[in-house]
Amino acid sequence: MSKDKVGMVNTIKNICLAIIGGSFLTLMIQTNSYLAKDTSAIFASWVAHGVGAVTALLIVLITYRLLSGQGNAQQVKERKKIPLWLYLGGIPGAFTVILAALAINGGLSLSSTISLGLVGQIAFGIVSDYFGLLNTQKRKITMIDMGVISLVLIGSMMILFGA
C-alpha cells in the first residue's frame, strides 16, 4: 500500500475514532447529569472517574497480558521517562463532568451543553496552538480559525435558542 493510501486510511480511522469518542463523551455527560440530579455534581464526577479508572485498569491489564512476550520491554522503559505532571489530565476531566452536570441540570439541553463545550475546546485548542502550550507545535491564529469558532458558536446559539 502506498504512503498516500496509508495516510488516508489513518486519517479516516482517526476521524471515526474521534466521532466514537464524541459519542461516548455525550453518553457520559448525559448519564452523569442524571446521577448528579439525584446526588451531587461532585459525587457524579467521583463515580465517573472511579468507574473510568477501574475500566482503564482492566484494559491495561488485558492489553499487557495480550502483548506480554512481544518485546515490549523497550516501551516499558520509555514509559518510565514520562514526567509525573502528565498524569494530571484527569483533573480537567473531573471539572468537565462537574460543570456539564451543573449546566444540564441548570436548564441547558444536552445538545447545547455539548455544542458550547465544543466552542470551548476549539477556542482553547487555537490558543494552545498559538502559544505552544503543553508542548504543542506553535501555529498562528488565522481568519479560518476565527471563522470556525464563529460558525460553531452560531450553530450553538441556534441549538440553544432555536427550540
Side-chain angles (χ1 to χ4, degrees):
M1 195 180 284
S2 71
K3 276 188 174 182
D4 290 341
K5 287 184 180 180
V6 169
M8 181 60 78
V9 168
N10 284 336
T11 300
I12 292 170
K13 178 187 76 168
N14 290 334
I15 289 170
C16 290
L17 290 173
I19 291 170
I20 292 168
S23 299
F24 279 125
L25 178 64
T26 303
L27 180 63
M28 179 194 74
I29 289 173
Q30 181 69 29
T31 55
N32 287 330
S33 69
Y34 285 138
L35 180 60
K37 191 176 192 178
D38 292 330
T39 58
S40 73
I42 293 174
F43 179 77
S45 180
W46 273 101
V47 169
H49 286 84
V51 171
V54 170
T55 303
L57 179 63
L58 290 173
I59 291 170
V60 166
L61 291 174
I62 291 168
T63 303
Y64 184 77
R65 279 260 167 132
L66 293 174
L67 297 178
S68 64
Q70 295 184 7
N72 287 334
Q74 182 64 30
Q75 288 178 346
V76 171
K77 287 179 185 176
E78 289 175 10
R79 273 189 228 124
K80 291 181 181 177
K81 298 176 188 175
I82 297 173
L84 290 177
W85 69 269
L86 292 176
Y87 292 100
L88 299 176
I91 294 171
F95 282 110
T96 299
V97 172
I98 292 169
L99 296 174
L102 291 172
I104 291 171
N105 291 331
L108 281 182
S109 66
L110 178 62
S111 56
S112 296
T113 301
I114 298 295
S115 64
L116 291 170
L118 179 60
V119 172
Q121 289 177 29
I122 293 169
F124 182 82
I126 289 172
V127 170
S128 178
D129 287 348
Y130 180 77
F131 290 108
L133 302 176
L134 306 173
N135 294 326
T136 58
Q137 184 178 1
K138 288 187 177 183
R139 185 171 100 32
K140 291 183 179 179
I141 297 174
T142 64
M143 290 306 291
I144 292 175
D145 295 329
M146 300 313 292
V148 167
I149 289 176
S150 299
L151 289 173
V152 175
L153 187 57
I154 290 168
S156 297
M157 293 301 115
M158 290 174 72
I159 291 170
L160 184 59
F161 299 116

